[in-house]
Amino acid sequence: MSRPLWQRVAVPTVAILVVVAVATAVIGVGLARRAFPQVSGELELPGLAGPVEVVRDERGVPHIYADTAEDLFRAQGFVAAQDRFFQMDLRRHIVSGRLSELVGEGGLETDRVIRTLGWRRVAEQELSLLSPDARTYLAAYASGVNAYIDSRSGPSAMGVEYVALSQSAPGYTVRDWDEVDSLAWLKAMAWDLRGNYDDELARGRLVGEVSLDQLENLYPDYPADEHPPILDRSEWSPPERPAPGVSDTRGGARGTVLAPVPGQGDPADIAGLTEPQAPDGPTSGMTRNWLAGGSPDARDALADTGTVLAAVPELLGEGEGIGSNSWVVSGEHTESGMPLLANDPHLAITQPGIWMQSGLHCREVDEACPFDVTGFTFAGFPGVVIGHNQSIAWGFTNLDPDVTDFYLEDTAGDTVLREDEHVPMDVRTETIRVAGGDDVELEVRETSHGPIVSDVLAETGVMGANGPIDGVATSRDFEVALRWTGLEPSRTAEAVFALNAATDWEGFRGAAELFAVPSQNLLYADTEGNIGYQAPGLVPVRRAATHGTPPGYFPAPGWDEQYAWSGWVDFADLPSAYNPEDGLVVAANQAVVRGSTPFLTSEYDKGYRSTRILELLQERLEQGPLTTADMNDIQLDDTSTFALEVVPYLTSIDLDGRFYTEAQGLLRDWDGTAPAEGEQTAAAAYFYAVYDNLLEAVFDDELPPDLGATGNSRSMQVMAELMATPESVWWDDQRTPGVVESRDEVLRTALVDARLDLTRTVSKNPDDWSWGELHRADLRHQVLGEEGVPGLVQQMVNRGPLPVSGSSSMVNAMNWDASTDSFDVTSAPSMRMVVDLGDLDASTWVNQTGTSGHPFHSNYDDQTQAWVEGGTYPWAFTRASVVEAGTDTLTLLPADE
């Protein structure tokens, strides 16, 4: 019997496609291999004073050994470029506002925003603030990168990505790397980790959309009684405030004036510690109440401003799930008798990953060459960002202080109102070169508060015509300026080198004082048995512009100078603790201290993760001393205490019919975990489907579509409070006039709809439900892995979707965003590390992807499966351990010049 026609056509077609796919793959592999690094033998590297060894292990992690600090960083630049040059080049194009040079017109929106913010301009100013040593290290790193560029025959020999981009940027040539390229990358790091920005815009937009009581519900106070801050009152208390009128004008290591500056009145009042006054408008004698509403056009303009600045690519990640876990325990609690320090920053998931692992070792550690350090680095920046050296270890979590403020500006042409007169703005013209197109000129205007961001997209000019003053639209032409600490020249780059060389608590704190942006919780441990915590960073001092709210809670009137930033919280006044009595410090983005002195922010993570970590540490301590394995296990914990709090409300609802009660019954035996597979996975899938429906039912009838609840920690606290408040107006569906829904009716609907959703998308049989099938991590290449690129190419460079355990606001923080109608992971542990200060070679680490940024390379994704499964690798540090683990050694030799 002859085959059906469709089979006779399909088989040859499939055969042809297979041949094409194989041929494409072979060509792709061949092109990619041209860029693979040489990892053994000898190479000449111009500028070296002596030979440098690069010892790599089976995962391609390089440990670099040199006789001088300059040689060390020159070699680091060369080796980083060997592994990740395209990632470095893409990053510098983005952070310099030159993406259009690489990708054509598609990069214009990003370039306009970055040029308006002026990231590279600020980085250029920072270079002159750095110490001679720091500048030498940056120059040596740049020299190493340029030696790599000079050693290649062209862009296609540096990365297969350039072959694909040759269509958008024909004739593209790679520019030399310079010190500012490295410094500008720190602006991207600071931008993605800035605090309060999204919430300030959202609140401004929601004024008048919901009642004041509802707005307060959406932004609840931090629950300090249930979720302990990082430091309690016995570990740190606020310093005594200076008497009214006393000003501190000391200069600081940050290169800026410490707060408050002269002539600004009572420092306590300025810092938001006394009752704020309502703002005055452009004319005197008007009472302003910014909480009372605002015209629809003005609220839309705030939303547009968010859209404008969202054009900046998220290089580290952004949003409520961006944070980290970090904790340190003293030797009194450990098996070795020495501290253990754990860290796993939660950032965007990408391919290649954000971090590179590396070791930087002076053969003889002394004052001239003080580095013997290993850990996680940024491709494009010298030194180790997170890790340990021979004496100390450190970890970061985002402190997330309020470091961004929006100001309404009354402008006339290129002038802006200040008190009673218009003063000139700084105006400059930027030329954006566009691959395959004409140059584009951009006029940038800056006020004393910062750049006019409403110039970037015309829609934000609506804010100017409808500025919400006293809840009434005005006819004044207001525009929007952004003040951000990342636009203040600082010495953050120098902090990295100081951390790498520090050998004790004082050296660590000295490095922390240089760390301006982004402000991080810094955890510390040393080989002498000490542990500690330090909050660093530029934290602005300013008055609240809205009565009854913290500083920076709503946009401020730019014309009134009393709401301008007046300086920075003194480093000596930032929270710190050394060898706390209980021998534990847990920093997972929760509140740093009780109270508001010094004022840091009102937007802390609500503490579900940090509290769970504390509980787990205490449980483990009841069983015996802690080990590195215990720390690894805690990092993988996927229990949601929020879910366990909510489940009793869900199981108490009466449902009709076995079809629905069968699914509800899963929750009765659920332990609150979120595994990708196994006995509890179906219950986890059902709970999060219910939670997703619940968030939609409660909030989506009243919130704009792009401001829907994300499901993360703030959503959880709001929902937990609503569960205990059945009479709240949030339970009523505003889309059903004449009908007032009760809490239990909404819960019942969510349970039913979740059952139907999973039946449609997965299976009618709950036994087939799996959290891992709904909740997946998709590691996508930032250029070749996106829509518009042929699917075959995407398959070559992307990894995933991968089923993963964990969920939002749990220790294993595989976050997802409920407002996107997807359970896909939006941010996750970008790496995991545990440092054993009793035996540094017993430390463990794992990266999200691999060392290499080259598709098809064996180290491109060789750590990903371990990362997904919670595995980890030995972290060699001493020379003997590095050599034992080494598989390849490259010797870099001075070049004849």
Side-chain angles (χ1 to χ4, degrees):
M1 185 175 67
S2 63
R3 291 177 297 169
L5 178 63
W6 69 267
Q7 286 189 6
R8 283 181 283 160
V9 173
V11 171
T13 302
V14 169
I16 292 170
L17 290 176
V18 168
V19 171
V20 171
V22 171
T24 303
V26 169
I27 294 171
V29 171
L31 290 172
R33 284 187 180 280
R34 295 182 62 200
F36 285 6
Q38 179 178 335
V39 296
S40 60
E42 295 180 349
L43 279 176
E44 289 188 348
L45 180 59
L48 287 181
V52 174
E53 292 175 281
V54 182
V55 182
R56 292 181 184 259
D57 64 16
E58 62 180 327
R59 285 170 293 282
V61 175
H63 283 262
I64 302 171
Y65 293 87
D67 292 322
T68 70
E70 197 169 346
D71 278 1
L72 193 65
F73 291 114
R74 180 173 282 104
Q76 187 189 12
F78 181 81
V79 171
Q82 279 188 307
D83 288 327
R84 298 275 190 99
F85 182 74
F86 178 76
Q87 184 183 46
M88 294 165 60
D89 198 24
L90 177 65
R91 283 175 172 177
R92 69 165 166 171
H93 276 84
I94 293 172
V95 301
S96 298
R98 293 175 36 234
L99 186 59
S100 301
E101 293 180 17
L102 188 61
V103 302
E105 290 186 1
L108 269 175
E109 185 179 10
T110 294
D111 287 346
R112 287 190 178 105
V113 176
I114 299 296
R115 295 289 186 96
T116 298
L117 293 174
W119 287 2
R120 185 175 173 90
R121 289 169 57 86
V122 178
E124 288 169 348
Q125 297 173 51
E126 289 180 336
L127 186 61
S128 64
L129 297 178
L130 301 179
S131 69
D133 282 347
R135 295 189 64 171
T136 296
Y137 302 155
L138 284 161
Y141 185 91
S143 174
V145 176
N146 290 329
Y148 169 80
I149 295 171
D150 292 342
S151 72
R152 314 306 291 175
S153 59
S156 64
M158 302 182 202
V160 68
E161 294 90 345
Y162 291 108
V163 178
L165 288 173
S166 62
Q167 298 301 312
S168 62
Y172 173 76
T173 57
V174 176
R175 290 171 48 176
D176 281 351
W177 192 271
D178 62 34
E179 299 96 315
V180 179
D181 289 330
S182 294
L183 294 177
W185 163 242
L186 296 182
K187 298 305 165 190
M189 179 176 72
W191 178 257
D192 285 355
L193 299 178
R194 69 199 185 279
N196 180 251
Y197 171 93
D198 293 326
D199 289 324
E200 183 178 333
L201 285 178
R203 279 190 294 266
R205 186 175 173 186
L206 290 173
V207 169
E209 294 284 345
V210 299
S211 70
L212 296 183
D213 286 342
Q214 286 180 293
L215 192 59
E216 186 175 349
N217 292 153
L218 289 175
Y219 294 92
D221 294 335
Y222 182 83
D225 291 335
E226 294 81 22
H227 299 160
I230 296 172
L231 303 179
D232 64 30
R233 290 191 176 98
S234 69
E235 295 166 337
W236 184 86
S237 58
E240 292 186 7
R241 297 198 300 271
V246 175
S247 295
D248 181 358
T249 59
R250 291 170 290 165
R254 304 180 180 109
T256 51
V257 174
L258 300 180
V261 298
Q264 296 295 328
D266 180 0
D269 184 28
I270 294 170
L273 303 174
T274 61
E275 188 69 12
Q277 300 176 358
D280 291 331
T283 58
S284 61
M286 298 177 64
T287 301
R288 315 293 184 205
N289 181 3
W290 287 35
L291 293 172
S295 71
D297 285 343
R299 294 192 298 272
D300 290 344
L302 272 170
D304 289 337
T305 305
T307 301
V308 174
L309 297 177
V312 183
E314 297 170 5
L315 298 177
L316 294 184
E318 189 174 341
E320 214 178 330
I322 299 303
S324 307
N325 298 324
S326 189
W327 64 92
V328 61
V329 296
S330 68
E332 66 184 284
H333 299 308
T334 69
E335 190 174 84
S336 70
M338 295 298 286
L340 293 169
L341 185 148
N343 195 192
D344 56 288
H346 309 151
L347 304 170
I349 55 173
T350 60
Q351 179 67 48
I354 289 167
W355 301 106
M356 289 181 67
Q357 295 147 294
S358 188
L360 302 173
H361 309 277
C362 295
R363 292 193 180 100
E364 182 177 342
V365 178
D366 55 23
E367 186 176 349
C369 194
F371 302 105
D372 189 13
V373 59
T374 180
F376 293 86
T377 74
F378 285 137
F381 190 86
V384 170
V385 178
I386 299 176
H388 73 82
N389 61 25
Q390 75 279 16
S391 301
I392 74 167
W394 64 94
F396 286 3
T397 68
N398 199 17
L399 195 154
D400 207 28
D402 183 358
V403 295
T404 57
D405 280 341
F406 286 92
Y407 287 87
L408 292 180
E409 301 285 17
D410 185 331
T411 65
D414 291 337
T415 68
V416 61
L417 184 66
R418 288 293 179 265
E419 300 299 344
D420 297 325
E421 64 176 337
H422 279 82
V423 299
M425 287 186 276
D426 291 330
V427 181
R428 68 177 187 272
T429 300
E430 299 271 348
T431 300
I432 302 173
R433 293 182 172 81
V434 182
D438 296 331
D439 292 352
V440 173
E441 290 195 344
L442 172 71
E443 184 179 82
V444 178
R445 299 185 294 161
E446 289 195 22
T447 76
S448 57
H449 298 304
I452 297 285
V453 294
S454 52
D455 279 345
V456 181
L457 285 181
E459 291 86 347
T460 59
V462 177
M463 170 67 77
N466 298 280
I469 299 176
D470 201 20
V472 177
T474 73
S475 60
R476 292 185 174 273
D477 188 13
F478 298 154
E479 298 190 65
V480 183
L482 174 68
R483 187 80 194 265
W484 172 43
T485 56
L487 301 183
E488 304 289 334
S490 70
R491 293 167 62 188
T492 298
E494 195 171 333
V496 175
F497 303 125
L499 271 176
N500 289 189
T503 57
D504 56 21
W505 173 246
E506 291 307 314
F508 170 79
R509 291 196 76 226
E513 188 171 2
L514 295 167
F515 208 106
V517 289
S519 184
Q520 301 287 290
N521 298 302
L522 296 183
L523 267 65
Y524 169 90
D526 66 34
T527 55
E528 297 297 317
N530 303 298
I531 66 171
Y533 167 86
Q534 179 66 56
L538 285 184
V539 179
V541 173
R542 73 280 213 198
R543 297 177 186 266
T546 306
H547 184 80
T549 67
Y553 203 73
F554 285 97
W559 52 86
D560 193 333
E561 296 284 26
Q562 69 174 318
Y563 304 119
W565 289 5
S566 56
W568 321 111
V569 174
D570 194 327
F571 179 77
D573 293 341
L574 290 170
S576 179
Y578 185 58
N579 288 330
E581 188 174 345
D582 64 0
L584 298 172
V585 180
V586 175
N589 314 117
Q590 79 272 37
V592 178
V593 295
R594 289 176 180 264
S596 58
T597 306
F599 176 72
L600 299 177
T601 187
S602 57
E603 316 298 342
Y604 291 116
D605 179 274
K606 300 307 179 182
Y608 289 98
R609 284 181 289 112
S610 59
T611 303
R612 177 64 179 167
I613 292 167
L614 278 170
E615 291 173 353
L616 291 169
L617 287 170
Q618 290 161 359
E619 288 175 8
R620 298 274 175 145
L621 284 171
E622 291 175 0
Q623 302 168 16
L626 298 168
T627 66
T628 301
D630 290 323
M631 303 297 99
N632 288 324
D633 288 345
I634 292 173
Q635 287 179 328
L636 303 177
D637 181 76
D638 59 1
T639 298
S640 172
T641 54
F642 161 77
L644 294 175
E645 184 179 350
V646 170
V647 161
Y649 292 98
L650 300 177
T651 55
S652 68
I653 300 298
D654 292 330
L655 298 178
D656 295 328
R658 184 175 180 276
F659 180 76
Y660 297 109
T661 59
E662 180 183 30
Q664 185 188 34
L666 293 171
L667 300 179
R668 301 185 194 281
D669 299 321
W670 185 42
D671 61 4
T673 61
E677 57 186 9
E679 288 185 8
Q680 298 289 331
T681 193
Y686 182 57
F687 173 80
Y688 287 111
V690 172
Y691 181 45
D692 188 40
N693 277 279
L694 191 57
L695 291 168
E696 180 179 350
V698 173
F699 299 112
D700 281 9
D701 60 320
E702 297 177 67
L703 299 181
D706 59 330
L707 290 182
T710 65
N712 218 288
S713 67
R714 181 163 58 85
S715 301
M716 290 178 179
Q717 184 181 343
V718 172
M719 187 59 69
E721 293 178 0
L722 289 179
M723 287 289 181
T725 317
E727 69 280 2
S728 172
V729 296
W730 281 109
W731 295 112
D732 180 37
D733 189 341
Q734 299 297 308
R735 296 167 293 195
T736 57
V739 178
V740 178
E741 286 80 7
S742 68
R743 178 196 67 187
D744 288 359
E745 286 175 315
V746 175
L747 296 182
R748 182 177 296 106
T749 299
L751 288 160
V752 168
D753 288 349
R755 174 41 154 142
L756 295 173
D757 288 346
L758 292 175
T759 298
R760 284 191 296 266
T761 59
V762 183
S763 170
K764 182 178 180 180
N765 183 357
D767 291 341
D768 296 332
W769 297 349
S770 165
W771 177 233
E773 288 303 307
L774 298 176
H775 184 56
R776 301 183 298 176
D778 196 5
L779 282 69
R780 304 186 69 85
H781 191 286
Q782 197 167 3
V783 173
L784 300 185
E786 301 302 322
E787 293 183 8
V789 175
L792 183 61
V793 176
Q794 292 187 45
Q795 292 174 25
M796 292 176 182
V797 299
N798 294 338
R799 295 298 178 266
L802 304 167
V804 292
S805 303
S807 186
S808 299
S809 291
M810 58 176 54
V811 183
N812 188 16
M814 296 286 186
N815 299 291
W816 54 281
D817 186 343
S819 68
T820 63
D821 294 324
S822 169
F823 296 106
D824 288 346
V825 173
T826 54
S827 62
S830 54
M831 59 80 161
R832 299 185 186 98
M833 76 175 202
V834 177
V835 182
D836 184 343
L837 277 300
D839 179 3
L840 293 171
D841 286 330
S843 304
T844 63
W845 62 355
V846 66
N847 208 350
Q848 191 178 87
T849 56
T851 301
S852 178
H854 299 294
F856 308 109
H857 194 282
S858 59
N859 300 133
Y860 182 65
D861 62 350
D862 57 334
Q863 299 185 53
T864 300
Q865 196 59 38
W867 173 79
V868 167
E869 296 173 354
T872 190
Y873 298 102
W875 183 355
F877 172 68
T878 63
R879 170 78 182 190
S881 293
V882 169
V883 171
E884 182 180 359
T887 58
D888 297 284
T889 299
L890 173 68
T891 301
L892 300 174
L893 299 172
D896 294 330
E897 297 181 56

